[in-house]
Amino acid sequence: MEKILVKNSLHLRGTVRTSGAKNAALPILAASLLGTEDIVLEDVPELKDVEIMTEVLKSLGSDVKKIGKNKFIINSKNLNSYETKYELMSKMRASFLVMGPLLGRMGKTVNSLPGGCNIGSRPIDLHLKGFEALGAIIENNVGDITASAEELTGNKIYLDFPSVGATENIIMAAVLAKGETIIENAAMEPEIVDLANFLRKMGASVTGAGTSSIRIRGVEKLTGCNHQIIPDRIEAGTFMVAAAITKGDVIVENVISSHMKPIIAKLKEAGCEVIENDEAIRVIGTENPKAISIKTLPYPGFPTDMQAQFLSLMTQLRGNSVAIETVFENRFMHADELNKMGADISVEGREAIINGPKKLKGTSVKATDLRAGAALILAGLVAEGTTEISEIYHIDRGYENIEDKFRSLGANIERVDRE
Ligand code: UD1
């Protein structure tokens, strides 16, 4: 079994480049099912989740070729299936994103219920409500969900919660529907803007992405295009926290500063120096950082995908820090792992109180989900001795070359294969 070993590595220093965003690449790969001509995608991160999505596309009849580092050419002219296999669906929740495009392109899609990170119940009711509003009939047959429609027709859809995946799935179903669709209370994440930009290049009419009201006018067909995936704001944020927690000095390149506002604000509040340049952010840690509070919210609020990494940071801040998780119901499993390392975190419901600073000690810990895994690496950097992280397949789902990148900043981190 592969593990990551992290040894105490204070004062990380240097420059690291952020990869393309996982959460933009996945819906964009799914959306490539809508096109009938060649699509070239650049800056696609090499991740387990991306690998699974390309397998899903191939299983549906797409021709997917890797033509260089982080570069793919995809042609979905000859789709021959609207059904995704259970083995693939169960590996990754985001496989569900093929449902919207398949419904739009083929008029039917069959999928088993999705798998993915274990961070609370993750229903898909909003996705299905959206498809229904467009005229699809939904059937649930022992875990196999079928959506089908003779013809999809645009409609007004109000989302009870600005779900990222539901917003993306509904956009992708609506781009080939007849007439106009308006999604109200839509998610506003940058990855949705990237998806809309990609779809527009293919010939779709999507306006308002990045606001809470997205308008889609159906078109006859979508063709091909070239597109570069936006930088991963969560990966960038993880390295920014690495600078803060190790009291180091790190420049993170290939970032869009406007996507990083809550992270920048909170690091500054803790006492770090944050310098924003064109496409780069420098974070200089402080010797005596102070406690902060965070509350996760849909974009532009503080991202839930950065909560775990901040919890690690908070163990090193002076005073009581508070983290409130409003997006997912069960996303504090890393708190127990951090407590094993000597942290003092008490969790009640959706709120964690972190009493710091605490001297952490390296021990055996488990990556309970993707971002929890990143949080343990960060904690390992400041812990005495060696931190041994297991179940690192979670980390590989979402971080490209994570050990190399940390090593380039001076971290003592390695991957080993042992019991
Ligand atoms: C996406 C991201 C994930 C991130 C999350 C929130 C991808 C591939 N993943 O996940 O990294 O943590 O956004 O920023 O982009 N919900 C419902 N019904 C639904 C759909 C969602 O109740 O039909 C609830 C979920 O249970 C959860 C909340 O809405 O509590 C947020 O989920 P959502 O925004 O849909 O997240 P994902 O798209 O799954």
Side-chain angles (χ1 to χ4, degrees):
M1 193 176 41
E2 282 194 328
K3 292 183 177 176
I4 287 180
L5 304 185
V6 188
K7 290 198 175 119
N8 185 280
S9 315
L10 292 180
H11 307 298
L12 292 193
R13 185 171 281 276
T15 301
V16 64
R17 184 184 185 275
T18 310
S19 299
K22 166 178 93 72
N23 287 353
L26 294 175
I28 286 172
L29 284 164
S32 72
L33 292 167
L34 289 158
T36 51
E37 289 171 28
D38 281 352
I39 290 166
V40 176
L41 294 179
E42 291 182 54
D43 251 345
V44 181
E46 278 180 25
L47 303 170
K48 194 71 201 162
D49 273 9
V50 165
E51 198 184 305
I52 297 169
M53 186 57 95
T54 57
E55 287 307 311
V56 173
L57 299 185
K58 284 181 196 165
S59 75
L60 298 165
S62 271
D63 185 20
V64 184
K65 284 194 200 91
K66 192 157 186 270
I67 51 169
K69 186 158 168 43
N70 302 109
K71 196 167 172 179
F72 283 85
I73 184 162
I74 302 168
N75 191 306
S76 301
K77 190 170 162 207
N78 299 317
L79 287 192
N80 53 28
S81 171
Y82 48 70
E83 199 163 339
T84 48
K85 296 198 180 84
Y86 173 77
E87 306 90 81
L88 292 171
M89 283 312 275
S90 60
K91 283 187 189 159
M92 178 179 70
R93 180 182 157 87
S95 325
F96 210 74
L97 290 170
V98 299
M99 215 170 168
L102 286 174
L103 182 61
R105 173 92 188 270
M106 321 265 288
K108 184 166 179 176
T109 169
V110 184
N111 297 262
S112 43
L113 282 171
C117 269
N118 179 27
I119 53 179
S121 88
R122 295 178 77 172
I124 51 159
D125 54 311
L126 299 171
H127 302 234
L128 300 180
K129 252 168 92 175
F131 297 152
E132 266 179 331
L134 298 176
I137 293 167
I138 311 291
E139 290 160 86
N140 186 347
N141 198 349
V142 234
D144 270 346
I145 308 254
T146 303
S148 56
E150 286 283 306
E151 183 178 63
L152 292 177
T153 312
N155 202 347
K156 266 202 169 165
I157 298 165
Y158 173 82
L159 294 179
D160 295 331
F161 181 87
S163 153
V164 174
T167 303
E168 291 167 343
N169 239 338
I170 297 167
I171 294 174
M172 294 188 282
V175 282
L176 293 176
K178 207 173 132 207
E180 186 175 86
T181 299
I182 297 173
I183 310 174
E184 297 288 6
N185 199 28
M188 302 193 283
E189 269 68 2
E191 293 75 21
I192 289 172
V193 179
D194 206 29
L195 171 66
N197 287 341
F198 169 72
L199 288 166
R200 269 202 298 273
K201 287 184 190 167
M202 289 167 80
S205 168
V206 184
T207 53
T211 75
S212 63
S213 178
I214 300 177
R215 186 183 294 256
I216 303 120
R217 287 195 193 84
V219 295
E220 282 287 309
K221 95 187 236 213
L222 298 184
T223 55
C225 70
N226 279 34
H227 186 77
Q228 185 179 1
I229 307 288
I230 55 166
D232 196 310
R233 63 196 163 98
I234 305 302
E235 189 200 1
T238 303
F239 285 109
M240 288 165 70
V241 173
I245 197 170
T246 65
K247 304 180 168 58
D249 181 351
V250 171
I251 297 171
V252 184
E253 284 183 341
N254 191 37
V255 289
I256 299 172
S257 198
S258 61
H259 296 172
M260 308 303 301
K261 282 183 186 159
I263 314 296
I264 294 172
K266 289 295 161 184
L267 290 178
K268 281 186 175 169
E269 229 177 280
C272 298
E273 195 180 337
V274 183
I275 303 158
E276 299 171 55
N277 290 319
D278 284 350
E279 296 195 12
I281 297 178
R282 180 175 176 190
V283 179
I284 305 167
T286 167
E287 281 305 319
N288 192 13
K290 51 184 187 297
I292 54 171
S293 296
I294 60 165
K295 182 177 185 178
T296 69
L297 285 167
Y299 192 84
F302 188 94
T304 173
D305 285 351
M306 282 301 300
Q307 180 255 100
Q309 300 89 314
F310 264 73
L311 231 62
S312 292
L313 173 63
M314 286 162 162
T315 67
Q316 303 306 303
L317 305 182
R318 180 174 33 88
N320 275 341
S321 292
V322 178
I324 301 174
E325 173 60 56
T326 76
V327 179
F328 290 108
E329 60 188 17
N330 184 23
R331 205 172 193 180
F332 278 126
M333 283 176 301
H334 40 281
D336 285 343
E337 302 303 303
L338 290 171
N339 282 343
K340 277 188 208 161
M341 297 175 71
D344 177 2
I345 306 176
S346 47
V347 176
E348 218 177 287
R350 292 182 175 228
E351 187 172 312
I353 296 175
I354 304 95
N355 180 10
K358 285 281 173 280
K359 268 206 172 357
L360 301 184
K361 273 207 164 88
T363 182
S364 295
V365 285
K366 196 169 69 183
T368 48
D369 72 53
L370 164 55
R371 306 303 169 186
L376 293 173
I377 294 180
L378 294 171
L381 294 172
V382 294
E384 247 173 46
T386 304
T387 302
E388 185 177 297
I389 307 169
S390 59
E391 309 212 354
I392 59 169
Y393 56 88
H394 285 297
I395 300 175
D396 294 335
R397 288 189 35 224
Y399 287 92
E400 187 177 52
N401 300 331
I402 191 157
E403 306 102 90
D404 290 348
K405 288 191 182 188
F406 268 112
R407 261 197 300 269
S408 75
L409 300 175
N412 190 334
I413 176 170
E414 62 173 329
R415 182 178 295 242
V416 294
D417 197 354
R418 69 167 182 231
E419 273 315 301

